Amino acid sequence: MAFSGFRVVKEALTGHKGWGPLWRNPEPQAQYDFIIIGGGGHGLATAYHLAKTYGKSRIAVLEKGWLGSGNIGRNTTIIRSNYLLPGNQPFYEFSMKLWENQEQDLNFNSMVSQRTIINLFHSDGQRDAYRRRGNAMHLSGAGGTLLSQHELREIAPFLNYDNARFPIKGGLRQERAGTARHDGVAWGYARAADRLGVDLIQNCEVTGFRIQAGKLQGVETTRGYIGAKKVGVAVAGSSSRVMAQAGIRLPIESHVLQAFVSEGLKPIIPGVITFGAGHFYVSQSDKGGLVFGGDIDGYNTYAQRGNLPVIEDVLEGGMALMPMLGRARLLRSWGGIMDMSMDGSPIIDRTEIEGLYLNAGWCYGGFKATPASGYTFAHLLATDTPHDTATAYRLDRFARGYVIDEKGVGAQPNLH
Amino acid sequence: MLIPHPLLGLRDAQEFTYLGDATLLNRPDPQSETADAAFHDYVYLRDNPAGVHRELWFHDAGDRSWLVVTRDTTTHEILGAELARDVKLGITA
Amino acid sequence: MTRLSNGLIDRSSPLTFRFNGTRYQGYAGDTLASALLANGVQLVGRSFKYHRPRGIFSAGSEEPNALVTVGRDAQTEPNTRATMVELYDGLEAYSQNHVGPLSHDIMAINDLAAPFLSAGFYYKTFMWPKTFWEKLYEPMIRRAAGLGALSGLPDPASYDRGFLHPDLLIIGAGAAGLISALTAGRAGAHVVLADEDSRMGGRLLAEDGIIDGIPAIDWVKTTLDELRSLPNVRLMTRTTVFGAYDHGVYGAVERVSDHLAATNGQVRQTFWRFTAKRTILATGATERHIPFANNDRPGIMLAGAIRAYANRWGVSAQRKAHDRIAIFTNNDDGHRTADALSKKGLPVLAVIDARPDAKSLGHYQTFAGSYVSDTRGRKGVNTIEVTRDGQSQWLECGVLGVSGGWNPNVHLASHHRARPIWDNEKLCFLPSGAPVGMSIAGAARGQGTTTQALADGQHAATNALYELGLPVQSHPAPVANDEPSNVAPIWHMPSRKRAWVDFQNDVTVKDIKLSHQENMRAVEHLKRWTTLGMATDQGKTSNVTALAVMAELTSQTIPETGTTIFRPPYTPVSMAVLGGGDTGANFRPSRLTPTHEWAKSLGATFVEAGQWMRAQWYPRAGETHWRQSVDREAQAVRANVGICDVSTLGKIDVQGADAALFLDRIYSNTISTLKVGKTRYGLMLREDGQLYDDGTCACMAEGHYIVTTTTANAGAVFQRMEFARQCLWPELDVTLISTTDAWAQIAVAGPKSRQLLSRVVDEFDLSNTAFPFMSCTELTICNGLRARLFRISFSGELAYELAVPARYGAALMEYLMGKGADLGVTPYGTEALGVLRIEKGHATGNEITGQTTAAMLGLEKMVSTKKDSIGAIMSRRQGLASETRRLVGLVPIDTNDPVVAGSHLFTTTADQNLKNDQGWITSACYSPHINSAIGLAYLENGTDRFGEEIIAANPLEGQSIRLRVTSAHFIDPKGDRLRD
């Protein structure tokens, strides 16, 4: 049943009796053409695009917990396409274009809100680097504006301009960036995929791969063996664990990123703002909560929780940048496990095992990539060739020396 | 977190910076015929286990020792800490 | 108006306060909530979504409804729970989330539209037309967002942080916490006892029980007196332990002066980090309610809260003295409230008990097997409908207490993601899998009577003492007079009307049903679809009830349906205090150079360079634009002599028999061939082969080298060298120490630098033959001052760097200024330094970005293939080896045009897109020697393209500028000057 304002009114007047399940709870079949491991944003988007864009059928998504229980359900909801390097920028711009039609494509309001992002800079060197990046954005059609301090004061008068350890000199703004309702993205893809016949199987953990002569046959799960012609792994945070079952080591470490939300407040922050000299970024949700975060904790972990030093660091940054936040209260903090890759960029590629495909290494930036990640991973699964915008995300780029290192910090994941 | 420094006792983890898997002690032989592949594995590939992990921490705001800390990545329980130098030289406590 | 005669308030200290501008009176010891109730104020706020009238619901930190804004202007503190605000004289509070007066909120129209605002409705609509989301729908939704408002003004308060390392941290000072503290304190343990309340005693303050034959209140007083006498026990009231972290670390916030009318110079709050060997969690329990139709009206409260207001604050929750009070319950504890109220002479209508076999425990009516099926009263309950066996009657009632049993406060025990376990007898979740070192005592683990809590607290403390290796003395635990409460599994009352589960976010039983109907059944789906438990109370009074309702719908047990995850903080914490007060210019420490004060005295402008503050330029009288100062400084260096503090460069002292071998492995080029008294430029790669840092390496003596690094990488290079020393090659005889802060280093640059230095050094031959380019030495200056001299040049001129112990840096600078006055000696700052190095084509962080290779700087020969060094192997990978971009210089074809760093380079005919991108401008400046802007850039095959015209595209700022490619060495490309 299609969602619409008309339908909401009709149901309201008839006691909401007509709303059906957002998706079915199917039993797993014995064999599929495509299995996607991971019912997070990327996995669900991949299944959707396999069915919708590439016309494939006999598709299942296997999810260990509940749909959307991965990092799609625990992030700070930022979407943007303001990258520097040619391996990244066209991909994220493709993603942004998909975001711009998300609701209409999925018939689900995931509240994509292009409310702008501003990356602040605090030195001439940083300004030059942002100018280089802003120009890369323009050259890929993503747009952007270099703001002076004067212009910033108009937009964000509440920033600390006059008594700062690292004075704000200006900012790089991307007007088309913004936020989306993270859970809504997962649910939108799940519902749309389900309507196209994709089996979304929850509480189904993959426990092993069945491989014969270098060719994948299917997967062992907590709900039995399921055969498949092709299997795509999209389990960011757990990629190393899952791929280890196929004997593959990855250029990835798992780290925890903490995120934070304040109590609900009347709107005061216009878009997304990132601090260039401290580890802090913030936006305000449509419910009024300030959603913010900073650095990863910095040590390998699967514990989905962080520690105090990063909390202090983030809040120090927040208070230094926006002293008006002092009387707001932190409501909730949480931790998500990130696939921190060795160059800070993702992997969308085939593997050495025929029929096994990998989508991993999203670091803390996977949310904004969800639509394009699903699209391009589906393209790879369906056609066995990389999508034009994802050609750089090869697994062998590390061996061949074609890393995509936006920060220029090298093979140390906790610095990315 | 608290790290049991073998010389200084329990120290707050905030005094340290983290590098990564202790296999970084095992830099491959650059003369080897397979040096290219070995260095690729050394620099880029990680077991990244969910469970016991031996890892390198630098006592930056302390005595500047590099430590090999054994820690469970699912619970953060610390099972031991040694001087990396001793580990590399094969000196066991 | 409804003040009783008892209570722990100080009637000799009346206080006045204002709520929504109206003046009221309360007493010291009141909370804002108790004082409002005492003044007959029931309506205090509006709910989030439907703007329903709401009153005070609880007496503690779990309060979902009574959120107010306290204070004005920069002191404005929104979303403050009235139940946790201590009254002070002059307090001003305002209700939130309404348009127009609180009693006539225009937004209450949302309540009429409620059928259209069902769970998740916004996911199903607002999609057409596409552009309307940002323009119309979202602004509309955002107008309704949030509860209170920030002032938008900087928080003027100050904050502090503190650290304590107790043997035993006890969280919660109720019966279990107090006896734990007493037991451990008597045994000599260092104890911190922290409680979120302003007064210790916990639930004992709200009851009228007896402990060891004396009133519980007196037992609390005696216990606290003894605890205060113990020097090893620290009592911390107003201190909320908000999170449990690894290895016994707990975060806590103490509200130091929030409760005072004037702070008297004290900080507002302190952020404590407790590192505890052992912890006892004694956080008690929170009462839950039972949803029924229209159960959210002001005057409908938790039964235990009504009892607490009566006992502790001497307040009845009635608006008027004759208003009747009813209790709706499924357990014995509800009866206790009725009993306590009737004993105080308050008009108890009845206890409406859903249990068919319920019996009265005192002198009041009990309607067994009955429930409240509806209520009326627009701004406060005035009538309730009581149903029994399908028969209903409406009864007048001004206050309705609800008790659905008590949930242990297991939050902190579950912060490490352990799931609590359902207890089918006690009908609650009990803690399980608590963090290492934590034990749980009292009502927090279902030991809910005072007697149980006392015994359990003492037991927990005894165990902790044993584990700490401290002597244990056994005392019999005190005994109280209360009995366990029997509770029945009755979770909500059926109705076709709305029955609220989560009050603040307006989540009703209907929403849970709809969530079930739409297959959003997993607990996390339920929460996220309906927003249940997401409000400022984080579901303290609603989560378990919601689980029970969902369990009923799915015909599963509660544990099968799920548990909730508890995340820090336990209750919301001020963002300012977590920042610890290090704001503004104190956000991060500032490192000052040895000549900082000297530069300041000359009126220098300073710039942040990482952690450092460096002199940027030294303006002189008459200079009105920074460029005038910078041009003059740069010209002085090229024409005469300039001096510049370069102490911020990292300096690492390397010594040992194997120092040369070690440095060969650190640097990509060879160091071991360097002779004593010589300096060499060196490159460091990362192990992945990318260019990492550059600097000089000076051989001061056999086995003694001084390595310099860039300012930005000083710490990281030292760390990497220690890694190499300890982790890769510990067998080498080499030691390292950072001496960055020990030496002041002054660049003396320009054709007259030798002349100037000759006036400073003691008996030292500075001639080109005796001390040629790239020499280094130890020497004395100024009649015996130990110094180091390096003949190295960043500017491209004849130049030296002179190092003296840091404390002599400023004196040396002044001395050089005096000695060089006739030579035109000129101090120069980082801007002129930048101009000089760009003119010379020297790289800095703008060029060495961590993404570049040695070859890009034209330095591929410095990566030796004859020896191993860090990064050598990986630098030969295809992607690095095939890199074709090279450092070049750029000058504008029209000399009036600017050169803009960050522009991308294109051939004159190419379409400007990423595919045709040929490089970018890394650095740019105005060169007073070329008389135009100049720049450095990485350009594809750049060194083969000198003379070519290219386009610098800066579409970001609408610029497109024609430039000529040149050598990166604008000045003295052969290097004659620096060798002169």
Side-chain angles (χ1 to χ4, degrees), chain A residues 16 101 104 113-115 131 181 286 316 330 398, chain C residues 127 130 134 138 142 161 573 588 877 901 957:
Chain A
H16 295 286
N101 287 302
Q104 289 69 33
S113 173
Q114 295 182 293
R115 303 173 51 235
R131 192 186 283 117
R181 168 84 186 109
D286 285 346
E316 279 170 12
L330 171 67
F398 301 97
Chain C
M127 290 180 272
K130 189 167 125 177
E134 278 90 353
E138 188 176 48
R142 287 179 83 83
R161 5 167 104 87
V573 176
R588 289 286 178 262
R877 284 179 295 166
E957 294 169 290

PDB file of all heavy atoms in Angstrom, chain A residues 16 101 104 113-115 131 181 286 316 330 398, chain C residues 127 130 134 138 142 161 573 588 877 901 957:
ATOM      1  N   HIS A  16      -7.080   3.769  11.852  1.00  0.00           N
ATOM      2  CA  HIS A  16      -5.763   3.183  11.538  1.00  0.00           C
ATOM      3  C   HIS A  16      -5.813   1.683  11.358  1.00  0.00           C
ATOM      4  O   HIS A  16      -4.832   0.985  11.613  1.00  0.00           O
ATOM      5  CB  HIS A  16      -4.732   3.562  12.617  1.00  0.00           C
ATOM      6  CG  HIS A  16      -4.452   5.028  12.677  1.00  0.00           C
ATOM      7  ND1 HIS A  16      -3.701   5.682  11.747  1.00  0.00           N
ATOM      8  CD2 HIS A  16      -4.852   5.977  13.576  1.00  0.00           C
ATOM      9  CE1 HIS A  16      -3.642   6.984  12.062  1.00  0.00           C
ATOM     10  NE2 HIS A  16      -4.345   7.184  13.153  1.00  0.00           N
ATOM     11  N   ASN A 101      16.358  12.430  -4.456  1.00  0.00           N
ATOM     12  CA  ASN A 101      15.099  11.818  -4.908  1.00  0.00           C
ATOM     13  C   ASN A 101      14.626  10.676  -4.012  1.00  0.00           C
ATOM     14  O   ASN A 101      13.781   9.884  -4.402  1.00  0.00           O
ATOM     15  CB  ASN A 101      15.253  11.290  -6.333  1.00  0.00           C
ATOM     16  CG  ASN A 101      15.294  12.428  -7.329  1.00  0.00           C
ATOM     17  OD1 ASN A 101      14.361  13.220  -7.406  1.00  0.00           O
ATOM     18  ND2 ASN A 101      16.384  12.530  -8.058  1.00  0.00           N
ATOM     19  N   GLN A 104      10.762  10.157  -3.094  1.00  0.00           N
ATOM     20  CA  GLN A 104       9.914   9.809  -4.230  1.00  0.00           C
ATOM     21  C   GLN A 104      10.242   8.410  -4.724  1.00  0.00           C
ATOM     22  O   GLN A 104       9.360   7.639  -5.088  1.00  0.00           O
ATOM     23  CB  GLN A 104      10.094  10.847  -5.350  1.00  0.00           C
ATOM     24  CG  GLN A 104       9.484  12.205  -5.017  1.00  0.00           C
ATOM     25  CD  GLN A 104      10.218  12.954  -3.900  1.00  0.00           C
ATOM     26  OE1 GLN A 104      11.434  12.836  -3.759  1.00  0.00           O
ATOM     27  NE2 GLN A 104       9.477  13.685  -3.096  1.00  0.00           N
ATOM     28  N   SER A 113      17.021  16.405   4.412  1.00  0.00           N
ATOM     29  CA  SER A 113      16.900  17.836   4.623  1.00  0.00           C
ATOM     30  C   SER A 113      18.199  18.515   4.232  1.00  0.00           C
ATOM     31  O   SER A 113      19.205  18.391   4.912  1.00  0.00           O
ATOM     32  CB  SER A 113      16.585  18.085   6.102  1.00  0.00           C
ATOM     33  OG  SER A 113      16.611  19.456   6.366  1.00  0.00           O
ATOM     34  N   GLN A 114      18.171  19.225   3.114  1.00  0.00           N
ATOM     35  CA  GLN A 114      19.396  19.864   2.613  1.00  0.00           C
ATOM     36  C   GLN A 114      19.557  21.208   3.297  1.00  0.00           C
ATOM     37  O   GLN A 114      19.247  22.253   2.730  1.00  0.00           O
ATOM     38  CB  GLN A 114      19.350  19.951   1.097  1.00  0.00           C
ATOM     39  CG  GLN A 114      19.368  18.549   0.483  1.00  0.00           C
ATOM     40  CD  GLN A 114      19.373  18.573  -1.026  1.00  0.00           C
ATOM     41  OE1 GLN A 114      18.394  18.981  -1.639  1.00  0.00           O
ATOM     42  NE2 GLN A 114      20.470  18.137  -1.617  1.00  0.00           N
ATOM     43  N   ARG A 115      20.056  21.144   4.517  1.00  0.00           N
ATOM     44  CA  ARG A 115      20.082  22.331   5.362  1.00  0.00           C
ATOM     45  C   ARG A 115      21.481  22.912   5.476  1.00  0.00           C
ATOM     46  O   ARG A 115      21.749  23.714   6.338  1.00  0.00           O
ATOM     47  CB  ARG A 115      19.502  21.972   6.728  1.00  0.00           C
ATOM     48  CG  ARG A 115      18.085  21.415   6.546  1.00  0.00           C
ATOM     49  CD  ARG A 115      17.478  20.875   7.803  1.00  0.00           C
ATOM     50  NE  ARG A 115      17.589  21.862   8.836  1.00  0.00           N
ATOM     51  CZ  ARG A 115      18.152  21.619  10.005  1.00  0.00           C
ATOM     52  NH1 ARG A 115      18.617  20.436  10.270  1.00  0.00           N
ATOM     53  NH2 ARG A 115      18.211  22.549  10.898  1.00  0.00           N
ATOM     54  N   ARG A 131      39.901  25.475   0.136  1.00  0.00           N
ATOM     55  CA  ARG A 131      39.651  26.015  -1.199  1.00  0.00           C
ATOM     56  C   ARG A 131      39.919  24.934  -2.241  1.00  0.00           C
ATOM     57  O   ARG A 131      39.151  24.754  -3.186  1.00  0.00           O
ATOM     58  CB  ARG A 131      40.509  27.250  -1.450  1.00  0.00           C
ATOM     59  CG  ARG A 131      40.066  27.999  -2.712  1.00  0.00           C
ATOM     60  CD  ARG A 131      40.992  29.142  -3.064  1.00  0.00           C
ATOM     61  NE  ARG A 131      40.807  30.322  -2.232  1.00  0.00           N
ATOM     62  CZ  ARG A 131      41.748  30.820  -1.430  1.00  0.00           C
ATOM     63  NH1 ARG A 131      42.926  30.217  -1.336  1.00  0.00           N
ATOM     64  NH2 ARG A 131      41.528  31.900  -0.728  1.00  0.00           N
ATOM     65  N   ARG A 181      16.794  11.399   8.267  1.00  0.00           N
ATOM     66  CA  ARG A 181      16.346  10.645   9.455  1.00  0.00           C
ATOM     67  C   ARG A 181      16.872   9.216   9.311  1.00  0.00           C
ATOM     68  O   ARG A 181      16.377   8.431   8.498  1.00  0.00           O
ATOM     69  CB  ARG A 181      14.829  10.678   9.513  1.00  0.00           C
ATOM     70  CG  ARG A 181      14.201   9.745  10.486  1.00  0.00           C
ATOM     71  CD  ARG A 181      14.133  10.299  11.897  1.00  0.00           C
ATOM     72  NE  ARG A 181      13.626   9.230  12.754  1.00  0.00           N
ATOM     73  CZ  ARG A 181      14.362   8.583  13.653  1.00  0.00           C
ATOM     74  NH1 ARG A 181      15.606   8.911  13.873  1.00  0.00           N
ATOM     75  NH2 ARG A 181      13.835   7.613  14.357  1.00  0.00           N
ATOM     76  N   ASP A 286      14.993  17.384  13.736  1.00  0.00           N
ATOM     77  CA  ASP A 286      13.657  17.960  13.617  1.00  0.00           C
ATOM     78  C   ASP A 286      12.862  17.830  14.915  1.00  0.00           C
ATOM     79  O   ASP A 286      11.821  18.448  15.073  1.00  0.00           O
ATOM     80  CB  ASP A 286      12.896  17.291  12.462  1.00  0.00           C
ATOM     81  CG  ASP A 286      13.395  17.794  11.104  1.00  0.00           C
ATOM     82  OD1 ASP A 286      14.102  18.819  11.088  1.00  0.00           O
ATOM     83  OD2 ASP A 286      13.089  17.164  10.085  1.00  0.00           O
ATOM     84  N   GLU A 316      34.502  19.643  25.235  1.00  0.00           N
ATOM     85  CA  GLU A 316      35.419  20.791  25.266  1.00  0.00           C
ATOM     86  C   GLU A 316      35.352  21.529  23.931  1.00  0.00           C
ATOM     87  O   GLU A 316      35.275  22.758  23.886  1.00  0.00           O
ATOM     88  CB  GLU A 316      36.864  20.328  25.485  1.00  0.00           C
ATOM     89  CG  GLU A 316      37.208  20.031  26.918  1.00  0.00           C
ATOM     90  CD  GLU A 316      38.569  19.350  27.042  1.00  0.00           C
ATOM     91  OE1 GLU A 316      39.331  19.320  26.059  1.00  0.00           O
ATOM     92  OE2 GLU A 316      38.853  18.835  28.137  1.00  0.00           O
ATOM     93  N   LEU A 330      23.305  17.106  27.900  1.00  0.00           N
ATOM     94  CA  LEU A 330      23.515  15.864  27.170  1.00  0.00           C
ATOM     95  C   LEU A 330      22.479  14.855  27.644  1.00  0.00           C
ATOM     96  O   LEU A 330      22.353  14.604  28.842  1.00  0.00           O
ATOM     97  CB  LEU A 330      24.927  15.336  27.453  1.00  0.00           C
ATOM     98  CG  LEU A 330      25.214  13.937  26.935  1.00  0.00           C
ATOM     99  CD1 LEU A 330      25.208  13.901  25.424  1.00  0.00           C
ATOM    100  CD2 LEU A 330      26.550  13.445  27.478  1.00  0.00           C
ATOM    101  N   PHE A 398      45.629  -1.123  -2.086  1.00  0.00           N
ATOM    102  CA  PHE A 398      46.682  -1.013  -1.071  1.00  0.00           C
ATOM    103  C   PHE A 398      47.970  -1.658  -1.582  1.00  0.00           C
ATOM    104  O   PHE A 398      49.052  -1.118  -1.414  1.00  0.00           O
ATOM    105  CB  PHE A 398      46.216  -1.669   0.229  1.00  0.00           C
ATOM    106  CG  PHE A 398      44.961  -1.047   0.758  1.00  0.00           C
ATOM    107  CD1 PHE A 398      43.708  -1.612   0.503  1.00  0.00           C
ATOM    108  CD2 PHE A 398      45.013   0.138   1.475  1.00  0.00           C
ATOM    109  CE1 PHE A 398      42.552  -1.020   0.963  1.00  0.00           C
ATOM    110  CE2 PHE A 398      43.852   0.734   1.940  1.00  0.00           C
ATOM    111  CZ  PHE A 398      42.609   0.157   1.681  1.00  0.00           C
TER     112      PHE A 398
ATOM    113  N   MET C 127       5.746  14.191   1.289  1.00  0.00           N
ATOM    114  CA  MET C 127       6.713  13.854   0.252  1.00  0.00           C
ATOM    115  C   MET C 127       6.440  14.588  -1.066  1.00  0.00           C
ATOM    116  O   MET C 127       7.279  14.584  -1.952  1.00  0.00           O
ATOM    117  CB  MET C 127       6.701  12.344  -0.007  1.00  0.00           C
ATOM    118  CG  MET C 127       7.293  11.564   1.162  1.00  0.00           C
ATOM    119  SD  MET C 127       7.283   9.785   0.897  1.00  0.00           S
ATOM    120  CE  MET C 127       5.682   9.319   1.516  1.00  0.00           C
ATOM    121  N   LYS C 130       8.206  17.571  -4.072  1.00  0.00           N
ATOM    122  CA  LYS C 130       9.525  17.313  -3.522  1.00  0.00           C
ATOM    123  C   LYS C 130      10.150  18.513  -2.806  1.00  0.00           C
ATOM    124  O   LYS C 130      10.703  18.382  -1.725  1.00  0.00           O
ATOM    125  CB  LYS C 130      10.398  16.889  -4.710  1.00  0.00           C
ATOM    126  CG  LYS C 130      11.729  16.376  -4.376  1.00  0.00           C
ATOM    127  CD  LYS C 130      12.307  15.719  -5.619  1.00  0.00           C
ATOM    128  CE  LYS C 130      13.645  16.312  -5.963  1.00  0.00           C
ATOM    129  NZ  LYS C 130      14.264  15.658  -7.113  1.00  0.00           N
ATOM    130  N   GLU C 134      11.915  21.082   2.419  1.00  0.00           N
ATOM    131  CA  GLU C 134      12.739  22.113   3.048  1.00  0.00           C
ATOM    132  C   GLU C 134      11.984  23.428   3.215  1.00  0.00           C
ATOM    133  O   GLU C 134      12.235  24.175   4.135  1.00  0.00           O
ATOM    134  CB  GLU C 134      14.022  22.367   2.237  1.00  0.00           C
ATOM    135  CG  GLU C 134      15.143  21.376   2.518  1.00  0.00           C
ATOM    136  CD  GLU C 134      15.089  20.163   1.609  1.00  0.00           C
ATOM    137  OE1 GLU C 134      14.097  20.045   0.853  1.00  0.00           O
ATOM    138  OE2 GLU C 134      16.015  19.332   1.665  1.00  0.00           O
ATOM    139  N   GLU C 138       9.162  20.849   6.596  1.00  0.00           N
ATOM    140  CA  GLU C 138      10.151  20.781   7.667  1.00  0.00           C
ATOM    141  C   GLU C 138      10.150  22.028   8.555  1.00  0.00           C
ATOM    142  O   GLU C 138      10.182  21.906   9.781  1.00  0.00           O
ATOM    143  CB  GLU C 138      11.548  20.516   7.097  1.00  0.00           C
ATOM    144  CG  GLU C 138      12.537  20.248   8.218  1.00  0.00           C
ATOM    145  CD  GLU C 138      13.915  19.889   7.713  1.00  0.00           C
ATOM    146  OE1 GLU C 138      14.420  20.596   6.834  1.00  0.00           O
ATOM    147  OE2 GLU C 138      14.488  18.913   8.215  1.00  0.00           O
ATOM    148  N   ARG C 142       9.703  21.889  12.449  1.00  0.00           N
ATOM    149  CA  ARG C 142      10.728  22.428  13.340  1.00  0.00           C
ATOM    150  C   ARG C 142      10.178  23.506  14.261  1.00  0.00           C
ATOM    151  O   ARG C 142      10.691  23.717  15.343  1.00  0.00           O
ATOM    152  CB  ARG C 142      11.915  22.966  12.531  1.00  0.00           C
ATOM    153  CG  ARG C 142      12.748  21.855  11.945  1.00  0.00           C
ATOM    154  CD  ARG C 142      13.903  22.370  11.140  1.00  0.00           C
ATOM    155  NE  ARG C 142      15.068  22.709  11.945  1.00  0.00           N
ATOM    156  CZ  ARG C 142      15.978  21.836  12.371  1.00  0.00           C
ATOM    157  NH1 ARG C 142      15.835  20.560  12.097  1.00  0.00           N
ATOM    158  NH2 ARG C 142      17.012  22.217  13.081  1.00  0.00           N
ATOM    159  N   ARG C 161      36.818  20.589  37.066  1.00  0.00           N
ATOM    160  CA  ARG C 161      36.864  19.132  37.069  1.00  0.00           C
ATOM    161  C   ARG C 161      37.653  18.650  38.272  1.00  0.00           C
ATOM    162  O   ARG C 161      38.506  19.356  38.783  1.00  0.00           O
ATOM    163  CB  ARG C 161      37.516  18.508  35.839  1.00  0.00           C
ATOM    164  CG  ARG C 161      38.144  19.273  34.793  1.00  0.00           C
ATOM    165  CD  ARG C 161      38.961  18.312  33.919  1.00  0.00           C
ATOM    166  NE  ARG C 161      38.280  18.048  32.679  1.00  0.00           N
ATOM    167  CZ  ARG C 161      38.407  18.814  31.581  1.00  0.00           C
ATOM    168  NH1 ARG C 161      39.195  19.851  31.581  1.00  0.00           N
ATOM    169  NH2 ARG C 161      37.756  18.508  30.480  1.00  0.00           N
ATOM    170  N   VAL C 573      22.942  15.651  31.644  1.00  0.00           N
ATOM    171  CA  VAL C 573      24.058  16.345  32.279  1.00  0.00           C
ATOM    172  C   VAL C 573      24.372  17.603  31.482  1.00  0.00           C
ATOM    173  O   VAL C 573      24.378  17.580  30.250  1.00  0.00           O
ATOM    174  CB  VAL C 573      25.300  15.427  32.279  1.00  0.00           C
ATOM    175  CG1 VAL C 573      26.497  16.154  32.842  1.00  0.00           C
ATOM    176  CG2 VAL C 573      25.024  14.161  33.065  1.00  0.00           C
ATOM    177  N   ARG C 588      42.632  25.106  24.584  1.00  0.00           N
ATOM    178  CA  ARG C 588      43.828  24.263  24.536  1.00  0.00           C
ATOM    179  C   ARG C 588      44.996  25.082  25.060  1.00  0.00           C
ATOM    180  O   ARG C 588      44.982  26.311  24.940  1.00  0.00           O
ATOM    181  CB  ARG C 588      44.123  23.820  23.087  1.00  0.00           C
ATOM    182  CG  ARG C 588      43.140  22.799  22.537  1.00  0.00           C
ATOM    183  CD  ARG C 588      43.367  21.418  23.150  1.00  0.00           C
ATOM    184  NE  ARG C 588      42.415  20.438  22.662  1.00  0.00           N
ATOM    185  CZ  ARG C 588      41.311  20.054  23.287  1.00  0.00           C
ATOM    186  NH1 ARG C 588      40.983  20.608  24.447  1.00  0.00           N
ATOM    187  NH2 ARG C 588      40.530  19.129  22.780  1.00  0.00           N
ATOM    188  N   ARG C 877      55.785   1.007  -4.945  1.00  0.00           N
ATOM    189  CA  ARG C 877      54.530   0.490  -5.515  1.00  0.00           C
ATOM    190  C   ARG C 877      54.142   1.292  -6.755  1.00  0.00           C
ATOM    191  O   ARG C 877      54.415   2.497  -6.835  1.00  0.00           O
ATOM    192  CB  ARG C 877      53.405   0.565  -4.482  1.00  0.00           C
ATOM    193  CG  ARG C 877      53.493  -0.510  -3.416  1.00  0.00           C
ATOM    194  CD  ARG C 877      52.374  -0.356  -2.417  1.00  0.00           C
ATOM    195  NE  ARG C 877      52.490   0.883  -1.662  1.00  0.00           N
ATOM    196  CZ  ARG C 877      51.529   1.419  -0.919  1.00  0.00           C
ATOM    197  NH1 ARG C 877      50.351   0.819  -0.844  1.00  0.00           N
ATOM    198  NH2 ARG C 877      51.733   2.536  -0.267  1.00  0.00           N
ATOM    199  N   ALA C 901      46.150  29.967  -3.751  1.00  0.00           N
ATOM    200  CA  ALA C 901      46.374  28.590  -3.306  1.00  0.00           C
ATOM    201  C   ALA C 901      45.035  27.864  -3.204  1.00  0.00           C
ATOM    202  O   ALA C 901      44.047  28.433  -2.757  1.00  0.00           O
ATOM    203  CB  ALA C 901      47.077  28.573  -1.963  1.00  0.00           C
ATOM    204  N   GLU C 957      35.339  30.519  -6.070  1.00  0.00           N
ATOM    205  CA  GLU C 957      35.250  31.965  -5.920  1.00  0.00           C
ATOM    206  C   GLU C 957      35.151  32.673  -7.270  1.00  0.00           C
ATOM    207  O   GLU C 957      35.437  33.855  -7.368  1.00  0.00           O
ATOM    208  CB  GLU C 957      36.465  32.475  -5.131  1.00  0.00           C
ATOM    209  CG  GLU C 957      36.445  31.964  -3.693  1.00  0.00           C
ATOM    210  CD  GLU C 957      37.750  32.223  -2.968  1.00  0.00           C
ATOM    211  OE1 GLU C 957      38.761  31.585  -3.301  1.00  0.00           O
ATOM    212  OE2 GLU C 957      37.749  33.072  -2.057  1.00  0.00           O
TER     213      GLU C 957
END
